[in-house]
Amino acid sequence: MDQEIQIVRECILPHYAAQQKEDIIQELSKRMKERNLVNADFQEAVLKREQKYPTGLLIGKRNIAIPHTEPQYVKVPCIGIATLKKSVAFHRMDACDELVDVDVVLLLALNQAHAHMEMLSRIILMCQDEAFIEELMRAEQETDIEQIVRERLEGGKQHES
């Protein structure tokens, strides 16, 4: 991977209780901003982009969303991760007028334009493995989620279903 991406433990929300997608994006963005990883405008930019270019992905039993925005809002490349207590609706990336119930949100903050597509592709590939998503959903602690995601991103590790 060209760009090193930080997985910051404080930007991981296991079994997060959210009513709507904005709750998740706001909480993860706030945590990133508090750690000086993103600019003050990052959250607003992510929310605006999500309206125009939705990021919900229909994967299978459990679905994901990968909200993100342009590189100028990012100071340090990182990823925020939330596993949800209860699914939250996101508009679909491939069918913008349709909703998908999402269980895992991966908020990307990348500061190189070309890195977005590479990272999106890696995450989509990683998340198509339902065993990986189930492993994330079972994880109780931030450290567990961090390790699971780090292993997949760094090693391209694939579990057999």
Side-chain angles (χ1 to χ4, degrees):
M1 182 169 27
D2 289 346
Q3 186 172 32
E4 192 65 34
I5 187 164
Q6 290 192 25
I7 302 171
V8 180
R9 199 166 291 146
E10 294 81 11
C11 298
I12 298 175
L13 307 172
H15 307 291
Y16 187 67
Q19 298 300 312
Q20 55 191 7
K21 65 184 175 194
E22 292 81 4
D23 299 340
I24 307 151
I25 293 170
Q26 287 169 357
E27 183 60 29
L28 288 172
S29 297
K30 181 183 87 167
R31 289 169 180 239
M32 289 176 172
K33 186 174 158 285
E34 286 170 352
R35 283 149 190 84
N36 206 29
L37 301 169
V38 297
N39 297 333
D41 297 336
F42 177 78
Q43 175 183 306
E44 183 182 342
V46 171
L47 290 170
K48 280 184 181 175
R49 190 182 188 290
E50 187 68 29
Q51 286 178 342
K52 196 170 185 181
Y53 304 105
T55 61
L57 289 170
L58 184 61
I59 301 290
K61 181 180 167 197
R62 306 241 189 213
N63 303 301
I64 67 164
I66 312 169
H68 54 281
T69 193
E70 290 73 29
Q72 68 261 30
Y73 300 103
V74 179
K75 295 179 183 180
V76 178
C78 61
I79 184 169
I81 305 161
T83 59
L84 305 178
K85 274 188 180 181
K86 189 177 129 214
S87 300
V88 169
F90 274 74
H91 282 90
R92 287 177 53 175
M93 186 183 290
D94 61 340
C96 300
D97 56 338
E98 293 180 29
L99 293 172
V100 60
D101 289 331
V102 165
D103 299 291
V104 177
V105 177
L106 303 163
L107 177 59
L108 290 185
L110 302 174
N111 62 2
Q112 295 175 14
H114 72 278
H116 270 285
M117 289 313 296
E118 178 189 344
M119 182 57 67
L120 274 174
S121 297
R122 287 188 72 166
I123 287 175
I124 291 168
L125 186 63
M126 177 172 82
C127 291
Q128 286 175 333
D129 179 359
E130 288 190 39
F132 167 70
I133 300 296
E134 288 303 323
E135 192 177 3
L136 280 180
M137 293 302 294
R138 283 192 307 269
E140 295 292 328
Q141 303 294 320
E142 293 87 346
T143 52
D144 299 332
I145 293 173
E146 176 187 12
Q147 182 179 352
I148 293 164
V149 173
R150 188 177 307 283
E151 283 176 1
R152 288 295 180 105
L153 286 179
E154 290 176 358
K157 180 179 164 189
Q158 294 294 315
H159 287 245
E160 292 190 17
S161 302

